[in-house]
Amino acid sequence: MKPTLFAALLPGCLLLAGTARAQAPSTPAAAANAPYRPSATKTNDLVHTKLAVRFDYAKRYLYGQEWVTLKPHAYATDTLRLDAQGMDIKTVALMSGASQQPLKYDYSDKNNLRISLGRTFKPGEQYVVYIEYTAKPDELKVQGSAAITDAKGLYFINPDSAVKGKPVQIWTQGETQSSSAWFPTIDRPNQKTTEEIAMTVPAKYTTLSNGQLVSQVPAGPGLRTDTWKMDLPHSPYLFMMAVGDFKVYKDTWRGKDVTYYLEPKYAPFAKQIFGNTPDMLEFFSQRLGVEFPWNKYAQIVARDYVSGAMENTTATLHGEQVQMDGRELLDREYDSESVIAHELFHQWFGDYVTAESWSNITVNESMADFSEALYAQHKYGQDAADDHNYRYVQAYLRSPRDAAKNLVRFHYNNKEDVFDLVSYQKGGAIVQMLRTYLGDDVFFAGLQKYLTDNKFGNGEAHQMRLAMEAVSGQDLNWFYNQWYYGAGHPVVTIDYGWDAGTKTQRVTIKQTQSGQVFQLPLAIDYYVNGKAQRQRVMMTQATQTFTMPLAAQPQLVNVDAEKFTLWQKTDNKPLTESLYQYSHAPLYVDRREALAAAVAAQATSPAARAVVLAALKDKFYGLRIAAIRGLKLDNKDVAKAAAPTLRQLASSETENHVRAAAVGALAQLKDKKDQKIVTSALASESYEVQGAGLETLGEIDAPTALARAKTFEKDEHLSSAVLSVYAQQGGPEQWNYIRTAYDKAEGRGRYSFIQPLVQMLPRLTDPTAFAEDVKRLQELALVPQLKAYGFDKRMVEALQKASDAQAGKPNAAQNQATAAAAIQAIQASK
């Protein structure tokens, strides 16, 4: 599962304003009070699941027949419990050859199908239960989560063709426990079963499921039955079906089918979207020493998907955000491709070996997050990988509440709570730290052993530790205890001292976080006369000083020279050393850290300003963007020095994201002579460059920008730029557009309107318009997922500022009363 990073959906100015980065206490009250969540007890084991299903598009029902083969696990039993959510159960019978023996059952709670088997079965003795049922997913009373926004398992998309231009589709989503919404099963990750699904569908549609398509036969007028068969065992939550008008692009890898299912209008771009998949299959197979274990690999794109993507065995389902046309692909960054690597890596870590329980989701999700930078390193180079890792680590560090959570989490209130920044971003960084500590040869040998020892079964973090210990010959309890079974991360200060008499450099590191002291293996590089000398140390105390005799005082001491330690640091090195680091230390994060120091000092230090200007031409595009965004263009010296390079980048940079950032930065100069550059940007094929041009035009020539924005209102690719121009430059007429667009948006799609709504509010004086804006902001402030990030408090601040801005304007008293009522309602909510 690759959820959309929830925090990334929120405007940074609102999410992060006033949010401290200090670490939270190591034992949160919520976790302490949550119940213990053991692995599911196995009374019966699934062996084989055979399904025959057909669909009622009008009622949004699935009519199913199931033959499920099971066996008692350890003890003899005469009962069977299956998860079955909100179904109508027609028949339950024990199969004896071709004949059926009706069985007694209880289904009073509409969630647990409790069956009396009629006799006792011994451990390992197989039996087959037949069930005829109707699944009614749209009638289920279930709730989703921040990671997976719905939990009804089976989804009918536009089944009555009511929405013009929107395809008719059916698809499923099993994780965490939603497969049992469309077929009875033991819906737990520590169950494994082979599978056969026969789907009867309109003959005009294409189907996809796990495994191989073994037959297609007519099933009456306008119907066809497709049978898919999966001969290798996998967990029920990984079962999938998809039905719709898809075009299939066929690729291959080592003789296995590799296919891409897209809506017809996107089919011409299938190779551009998914074309690196065979290379990923080859790279991961070689790197892991375990060949891709399944008989095919398909990827399909679905409408209205409830998360980012899902690693159904052999058949990954993606949300529509990966589906792009040729022009959209001009702006695609690796983040949009990394999900393809993430889901593919799950075919080993998650499908081949599956987390035994949701408490151990790290062996699925942390590994998949790790794979994203692993593939970036292979395909696009070390800077691309390091940038990806760096941004993921920063996302975790910006969420103090997540510092309080263990990676392996046996206590939680809802199983979907574990799909968070800890299991993904922090966990991926921890895996990278382990790789750095052990070295590639040993680390990947450990992964190979883990996969081989647990293939087609289940695993947990302890089993991964044992595999790493077996190949490394080391005791790794210290690493797993602090990173997997403990919470938080080190918060450190780093100080330096040079003893000229003994020619010794001193480095003092102090851990200041509450709770445990972390044991930290570190590399320290000392640069003397332009050459680095590396010292490897192990920090084991809260405060520890390391010394290094050198020929002369170093020009730079670079602590954590490999840049993979997960910590929050205050590095008290002199500015001169940070600036030296930009041009001499080799890694992306070295340059990123040096740039941050230079940005902070650019207004007063010519040397720092020179580093920022040099970073505008850095070899990696992400750092060029960071440098552009870091420019303090309100400072005359900085603006004068940077303007020529900015204009050059805005005019001729070939990397669209850098050009867009440069065009956007010109807005701060507010120079009329840049209008020619901005007009050129408005003609770009890149939506991002075009949008930046429109927003910058708003700062240079507002009336022209408003007129141009009007022409772009129907282009959804430029909607955020139109919203920005209207929110910052518009009035009542533009408010109508913002309000209408907001009301048409659904779910998380409304989050992109937060900033425009806030920006527009102070300029609205008409009481009706002001109240409309306030009402929508109040609704957003009360969304539980947003409140979890402190958005309600940010919204109170925004409403108060808008209220203050009304002073002296027409209808001030009425509008201020409206804002005050909303603030009171937000503060009173729980």
Side-chain angles (χ1 to χ4, degrees):
M1 170 63 68
K2 179 68 175 180
T4 303
L5 182 59
F6 186 82
L9 298 170
L10 308 181
C13 64
L14 292 173
L15 172 63
L16 300 179
T19 301
R21 286 170 57 107
Q23 185 168 315
S26 59
T27 305
N33 295 329
Y36 173 71
R37 304 292 185 175
S39 298
T41 299
K42 293 183 177 181
T43 302
N44 288 281
D45 292 334
L46 294 171
V47 177
H48 181 67
T49 303
K50 180 180 178 180
L51 300 170
V53 302
R54 55 191 177 89
F55 306 97
D56 187 326
Y57 283 78
K59 293 182 178 179
R60 305 187 184 195
Y61 286 178
L62 175 150
Y63 301 110
Q65 295 174 283
E66 177 176 17
W67 296 261
V68 58
T69 305
L70 306 104
K71 61 182 179 181
H73 182 78
Y75 304 99
T77 186
D78 60 359
T79 61
L80 169 65
R81 189 205 64 83
L82 297 175
D83 297 290
Q85 299 184 51
M87 299 176 182
D88 289 342
I89 304 297
K90 309 294 185 182
T91 304
V92 178
L94 185 68
M95 298 300 299
S96 178
S99 63
Q100 298 179 5
Q101 175 188 334
L103 296 176
K104 295 179 179 180
Y105 64 91
D106 175 68
Y107 189 50
S108 56
D109 67 358
K110 303 293 282 187
N111 277 302
N112 295 278
L113 180 57
R114 304 180 190 278
I115 303 169
S116 176
L117 296 173
R119 75 173 184 86
T120 299
F121 288 87
K122 296 178 294 185
E125 182 182 3
Q126 293 189 8
Y127 59 92
V128 179
V129 172
Y130 170 77
I131 305 169
E132 185 177 355
Y133 64 95
T134 301
K136 303 177 178 181
D138 279 29
E139 297 177 16
L140 287 177
K141 292 179 172 59
V142 291
Q143 290 186 333
S145 66
I148 308 168
T149 59
D150 205 309
K152 61 186 181 184
L154 174 65
Y155 296 82
F156 289 82
I157 307 303
N158 201 25
D160 52 5
S161 300
V163 180
K164 185 179 179 181
K166 186 174 186 177
V168 176
Q169 296 177 352
I170 294 173
W171 48 264
T172 61
Q173 165 58 35
E175 195 171 35
T176 49
Q177 196 172 311
S178 297
S179 286
S180 52
W182 61 276
F183 68 97
T185 188
I186 305 175
D187 207 354
R188 300 294 186 273
N190 63 351
Q191 289 283 340
K192 296 274 179 141
T193 172
T194 53
E195 164 198 348
E196 180 179 331
I197 300 181
M199 287 181 271
T200 298
V201 301
K204 62 183 178 180
Y205 291 144
T206 298
T207 69
L208 177 65
S209 188
N210 314 96
Q212 293 281 19
L213 178 62
V214 295
S215 71
Q216 291 185 299
V217 296
L223 298 175
R224 187 187 71 247
T225 298
D226 290 359
T227 300
W228 293 82
K229 194 170 184 180
M230 182 75 174
D231 291 328
L232 297 173
H234 63 141
S235 293
Y237 79 88
L238 298 166
F239 279 38
M240 76 86 68
M241 299 185 298
V243 183
D245 181 14
F246 299 102
K247 294 295 183 183
V248 184
Y249 183 97
K250 296 182 179 180
D251 214 334
T252 61
W253 172 79
R254 293 192 188 182
K256 295 182 178 183
D257 290 340
V258 177
T259 51
Y260 319 128
Y261 292 64
L262 296 119
E263 293 174 32
K265 71 176 182 178
Y266 294 102
F269 311 102
K271 189 71 172 176
Q272 291 169 265
I273 297 168
F274 293 118
N276 280 333
T277 302
D279 182 59
M280 292 177 184
L281 283 160
E282 185 65 27
F283 172 66
F284 289 150
S285 293
Q286 290 191 12
R287 206 71 183 93
L288 294 171
V290 176
E291 184 176 327
F292 177 74
W294 313 104
N295 56 16
K296 73 116 193 290
Y297 188 58
Q299 295 176 86
I300 190 167
V301 182
R303 288 289 188 101
D304 298 346
Y305 184 52
V306 294
S307 192
M310 180 63 206
E311 66 275 11
N312 309 298
T313 313
T314 76
T316 286
L317 190 150
H318 290 278
E320 60 200 89
Q321 68 276 0
V322 304
Q323 199 163 237
M324 300 180 183
D325 62 24
R327 190 175 173 189
E328 292 167 327
L329 284 161
L330 293 174
D331 293 333
R332 186 169 84 155
E333 292 186 275
Y334 179 65
D335 279 356
S336 297
E337 186 182 15
S338 66
V339 66
I340 298 173
H342 180 110
E343 301 307 328
L344 177 55
F345 209 66
H346 268 313
Q347 300 295 314
W348 286 270
F349 294 91
D351 299 4
Y352 189 52
V353 182
T354 307
E356 185 177 41
S357 68
W358 303 120
S359 296
N360 272 278
I361 197 64
T362 178
V363 299
N364 291 11
E365 296 301 349
S366 301
M367 297 306 302
D369 248 45
F370 162 76
S371 76
E372 297 175 29
L374 181 66
Y375 184 72
Q377 179 186 24
H378 160 75
K379 186 69 176 179
Y380 302 109
Q382 190 65 51
D383 277 356
D386 290 349
D387 172 67
H388 196 78
N389 280 330
Y390 177 84
R391 287 184 292 106
Y392 273 14
V393 168
Q394 295 307 306
Y396 159 72
L397 291 175
R398 284 196 298 267
S399 182
R401 68 181 191 144
D402 285 311
K405 303 173 184 175
N406 290 3
L407 182 54
V408 177
R409 214 167 311 159
F410 292 109
H411 295 266
Y412 54 80
N413 290 309
N414 186 305
K415 55 189 174 296
E416 291 183 13
D417 292 347
V418 302
F419 292 83
D420 59 11
L421 287 162
V422 177
S423 296
Y424 286 81
Q425 284 75 18
K426 182 185 181 183
I430 290 169
V431 174
Q432 178 60 52
M433 279 196 296
L434 184 61
R435 175 192 180 189
T436 303
Y437 175 69
L438 293 176
D440 275 8
D441 289 347
V442 171
F443 173 78
F444 285 106
L447 294 186
Q448 180 187 41
K449 181 171 176 57
Y450 170 80
L451 290 170
T452 302
D453 289 353
N454 301 289
K455 61 184 179 182
F456 302 117
N458 295 97
E460 54 182 76
H462 278 308
Q463 285 161 307
M464 192 168 284
R465 172 183 60 81
L466 291 170
M468 293 295 177
E469 289 183 341
V471 299
S472 70
Q474 300 183 46
D475 185 312
L476 294 173
N477 275 293
W478 65 271
F479 185 93
Y480 279 82
N481 285 345
Q482 67 185 15
W483 289 115
Y484 282 79
Y485 300 99
H489 53 267
V491 179
V492 304
T493 58
I494 307 173
D495 293 289
Y496 305 86
W498 169 251
D499 188 326
T502 61
K503 291 188 174 182
T504 300
Q505 177 67 46
R506 184 177 70 255
V507 178
T508 299
I509 307 174
K510 182 178 182 180
Q511 297 187 35
T512 61
Q513 73 279 356
S514 59
Q516 65 175 318
V517 173
F518 285 79
Q519 182 174 335
L520 302 174
L522 298 168
I524 305 175
D525 282 356
Y526 302 85
Y527 286 76
V528 178
N529 298 322
K531 294 183 179 180
Q533 301 177 43
R534 177 156 294 182
Q535 178 188 35
R536 291 200 174 275
V537 301
M538 180 70 79
M539 184 176 189
T540 57
Q541 302 168 24
T543 301
Q544 203 159 346
T545 298
F546 304 99
T547 58
M548 182 73 167
L550 299 168
Q553 184 173 0
Q555 292 134 315
L556 167 66
V557 180
N558 191 8
V559 177
D560 184 32
E562 291 160 315
K563 299 302 175 192
F564 288 123
T565 301
L566 177 60
W567 61 7
Q568 189 176 319
K569 68 176 179 179
T570 300
D571 193 339
N572 294 317
K573 71 176 57 166
L575 177 62
T576 54
E577 290 195 28
S578 292
L579 303 182
Y580 182 92
Q581 180 173 309
Y582 179 81
S583 55
H584 290 81
L587 300 177
Y588 164 86
V589 178
D590 289 319
R591 306 198 307 280
R592 182 87 188 216
E593 291 178 347
L595 175 60
V599 163
Q602 63 183 301
T604 56
S605 167
R609 194 177 311 136
V611 167
V612 178
L613 295 177
L616 293 174
K617 300 179 181 180
D618 193 272
K619 63 180 181 176
F620 184 67
Y621 85 97
L623 267 177
R624 299 201 294 279
I625 293 172
I628 292 169
R629 292 174 177 169
L631 287 168
K632 297 185 182 302
L633 294 173
D634 56 346
N635 179 278
K636 292 181 180 180
D637 293 332
V638 173
K640 181 179 179 180
T645 302
L646 272 182
R647 291 184 172 115
Q648 180 184 14
L649 292 172
S651 300
S652 57
E653 168 66 48
T654 58
E655 210 293 322
N656 287 331
H657 301 282
V658 176
R659 185 183 176 196
V663 170
L666 293 180
Q668 299 178 61
L669 299 179
K670 300 183 186 298
D671 193 330
K672 290 281 188 181
K673 70 181 180 182
D674 289 328
Q675 193 153 347
K676 183 178 179 180
I677 296 174
V678 173
T679 301
S680 175
L682 281 168
S684 173
E685 283 294 298
S686 161
Y687 287 119
E688 185 164 351
V689 172
Q690 198 174 22
L694 181 61
E695 293 186 50
T696 296
L697 184 62
E699 296 297 327
I700 296 174
D701 184 351
T704 301
L706 288 169
R708 291 298 301 269
K710 181 75 174 176
T711 68
F712 293 135
E713 283 187 353
K714 294 183 179 180
D715 190 335
E716 62 181 16
H717 301 93
L718 296 172
S719 60
S720 67
V722 172
L723 284 169
S724 176
V725 169
Y726 284 176
Q728 296 182 66
Q729 312 296 340
E733 179 183 351
Q734 287 74 32
W735 165 247
N736 292 334
Y737 171 85
I738 294 174
R739 180 195 60 216
T740 302
Y742 172 88
D743 291 345
K744 286 182 179 179
E746 298 178 351
R748 293 181 177 184
R750 290 185 167 183
Y751 299 169
S752 62
F753 289 83
I754 294 171
Q755 194 159 331
L757 290 172
V758 169
Q759 290 173 330
M760 176 66 86
L761 188 60
R763 296 199 310 281
L764 294 176
T765 57
D766 176 74
T768 299
F770 189 87
E772 289 172 344
D773 195 341
V774 168
K775 176 186 175 183
R776 285 155 180 79
L777 288 171
Q778 181 180 335
E779 290 172 351
L780 289 165
L782 299 180
V783 172
Q785 293 93 334
L786 292 173
K787 289 186 67 175
Y789 283 85
F791 178 74
D792 54 337
K793 296 180 178 62
R794 305 283 80 78
M795 188 47 44
V796 166
E797 295 172 9
L799 288 170
Q800 187 59 58
K801 288 181 180 179
S803 177
D804 294 342
Q806 292 290 312
K809 296 180 180 179
N811 306 307
Q814 186 174 349
N815 290 340
Q816 288 175 333
T818 298
I823 290 171
Q824 184 177 7
I826 294 169
Q827 292 175 330
S829 68
K830 295 182 179 180

